[in-house]
Amino acid sequence: MHEQLLLLDNVRINFSAGGMHAINIILAFVMFGVALGLRAQMFKDVLRYPKSAIVGFFSQAVALPAVTFLMVVVLNRWITPMVAMGMILVAACPGGNISNFMSQLSKANTELSISLTAVSTALSTVLTPFNFALWGGFYVRYVNKHAQDALQVLEIPTAQMFETVFLLLGVPLILGILTVKFLPKVAEKLKKPMQYFSIVFFVLMVVMAFSNNLNLFLHYIVFVFILVFVHNLTALSTGYGLASVFKLPNADRRTLTIETGIQNSGLGLVLLFNPKIFPPDLALGGMLFVTAWWGVWHIVAGLGISFFWSRRNPK
């Protein structure tokens, strides 16, 4: 598998300046749509249910990146460093906004889901750059110590990543919250269409990114599929396992499972396309393929587990 994935690392996907600006603007609109669903009461709900909220936040922001780091170290013989960094990047992203719909379908604690999405998204401007720099830095040092080919060329510009995440997530969130406060009727009308738009946007972005490399993607999808399947299953299991250890109600366990297993990998792709963060001369194909396929697969896995739980009432 290692030799096959090395071929993916050499894939370079470059957008024109105009195309990159278009993707950034669309992602900003998606995050604006997420903010239209936020209410001040959601943040208060975190204080009303502190135990479940704290465990859920820990599962997303701490446990998943840490477990992912251990996972890529264990799999180091079979995967490439770029594939490993892609897995770490996905784990560093905030939860995906589709998780709220999945929690509702799963008969989970939807209020808790929305609260966790609100908090993780709001804090992602700090936590995404921090977690990627922290665990990615650990992995770079591990590879440099144990592998023949060092990763000295891979630097993680935390300040630039923070700036990008803040502009793409922080500013649209602030504008969305202000719209909810001062134009509530407009916010209510826009909320549903924006949620559907976010799913369509991600699919279009993946198609745009890999349109010139479709044959290569299809040829090696089996290797990427296995890795993403295992990683996503690990993320889902981490959420459910922590919720079970802390003996949370069954509905809350379902929520934490979904919140930990559904990641905003669209943000990860946009970060990868930013030349100020990841220079175009780096062979980032492994990161791109993992991040893109995660965004497709977590929807399939999330909906699958949601339909399964929808037929069973939580105890």
Side-chain angles (χ1 to χ4, degrees):
M1 181 183 290
H2 186 275
E3 290 75 14
Q4 301 294 336
L5 293 176
L6 277 174
L7 297 177
L8 293 183
D9 282 350
N10 293 321
V11 175
R12 286 178 170 83
I13 301 175
N14 297 320
F15 279 110
S16 64
M20 194 63 244
H21 288 316
I23 286 182
N24 288 339
I25 291 172
I26 293 174
L27 181 62
F29 269 108
V30 170
M31 298 317 301
F32 175 77
V34 173
L36 294 179
L38 303 182
R39 300 291 186 276
Q41 184 61 39
M42 297 173 184
F43 294 93
K44 295 178 182 178
D45 288 340
V46 174
L47 300 177
R48 289 175 54 198
Y49 312 106
K51 183 178 179 181
S52 295
I54 291 172
V55 175
F57 180 75
F58 178 85
S59 179
Q60 283 182 301
V62 180
L64 179 57
V67 169
T68 299
F69 170 73
L70 294 176
M71 185 177 177
V72 297
V73 168
V74 171
L75 296 176
N76 190 56
R77 290 178 53 192
W78 298 280
I79 63 177
T80 66
M82 288 299 102
V83 168
M85 292 297 285
M87 295 167 68
I88 292 173
L89 177 62
V90 168
C93 289
N97 58 316
I98 195 177
S99 63
N100 304 151
F101 166 74
M102 291 179 178
S103 290
Q104 185 177 20
L105 182 62
S106 301
K107 298 181 180 179
N109 187 337
T110 307
E111 288 185 355
L112 176 62
S113 174
I114 296 173
S115 299
L116 286 172
T117 299
V119 173
S120 68
T121 303
L123 295 179
S124 63
T125 54
V126 175
L127 288 178
T128 294
F130 173 79
N131 271 326
F132 184 68
L134 177 67
W135 298 106
F138 285 159
Y139 180 72
V140 169
R141 288 192 288 273
Y142 172 82
V143 171
N144 289 344
K145 183 177 180 181
H146 295 88
Q148 295 179 350
D149 299 324
L151 287 177
Q152 301 293 346
V153 296
L154 183 60
E155 297 180 357
I156 302 171
T158 308
Q160 181 62 48
M161 184 176 283
F162 171 82
E163 177 185 333
T164 303
V165 175
F166 179 76
L167 290 175
L168 293 178
L169 298 189
V171 173
L173 281 172
I174 293 172
L175 293 176
I177 292 173
L178 291 176
T179 303
V180 171
K181 181 175 178 59
F182 296 106
L183 299 170
K185 293 183 179 179
V186 174
E188 191 62 31
K189 289 181 179 180
L190 290 176
K191 184 171 64 173
K192 282 286 185 182
M194 293 295 283
Q195 289 177 345
Y196 294 125
F197 171 75
S198 65
I199 300 175
V200 175
F201 154 71
F202 184 84
V203 174
L204 287 176
M205 189 166 66
V206 172
V207 171
M208 288 174 60
F210 293 100
S211 58
N212 295 328
N213 299 278
L214 182 60
N215 291 334
L216 189 64
F217 181 80
L218 294 176
H219 186 71
Y220 296 110
I221 185 59
V222 62
F223 302 105
V224 178
F225 175 85
I226 293 172
L227 284 174
V228 172
F229 174 82
V230 174
H231 190 199
N232 183 243
L233 181 62
T234 302
L236 294 168
S237 302
T238 299
Y240 190 85
L242 278 174
S244 300
V245 168
F246 286 94
K247 299 180 180 180
L248 300 184
N250 191 266
D252 292 7
R253 296 183 190 188
R254 297 183 179 187
T255 296
L256 265 63
T257 302
I258 294 171
E259 288 296 318
T260 309
I262 304 299
Q263 297 296 99
N264 188 351
S265 51
L267 171 64
L269 277 181
V270 171
L271 293 175
L272 285 170
F273 294 144
N274 189 327
K276 294 181 180 179
I277 300 176
F278 297 98
D281 59 327
L282 289 180
L284 301 173
M287 293 184 72
L288 287 165
F289 274 79
V290 167
T291 305
W293 183 247
W294 176 283
V296 175
W297 175 251
H298 78 166
I299 296 176
V300 176
L303 289 176
I305 196 172
S306 296
F307 280 118
F308 174 79
W309 274 334
S310 67
R311 297 175 173 273
R312 292 163 174 78
N313 292 321
K315 296 179 182 179

